[in-house]
Amino acid sequence: QGGGQVLLITSAAGARPTPGAPIYSAGRAAATMLAKNVAMEVAATGVQVKHSHNPYQRVWQMLKENA
């Protein structure tokens, strides 16, 4: 079909150390990097892969823009 979108919800905790939550922080960093790598891998197929650090504001904006 040639296209589609994938949205991963991540966290700003993946961009900096989070006291008391090293596993959570590492997991969020991994999700961010996964989105970036997969986006590069599938770009030629028309699939968009995005990640959002702030699901309460940016996700709704992204969904409205791509509806």
Side-chain angles (χ1 to χ4, degrees):
Q1 299 216 356
Q5 296 180 350
V6 176
L7 176 63
L8 293 170
I9 306 299
T10 62
S11 169
R16 62 183 176 277
T18 305
I23 302 298
Y24 177 79
S25 195
R28 298 301 87 208
T32 297
M33 190 55 63
L34 174 67
K36 290 179 180 183
N37 278 294
V38 171
M40 287 176 46
E41 293 283 332
V42 300
T45 68
V47 175
Q48 296 179 353
V49 181
K50 300 183 181 201
H51 63 94
S52 176
H53 292 295
N54 188 348
Y56 301 107
Q57 295 173 1
R58 295 177 64 198
V59 169
W60 296 115
Q61 179 184 358
M62 288 169 50
L63 290 174
K64 287 179 186 177
E65 290 173 359
N66 294 303

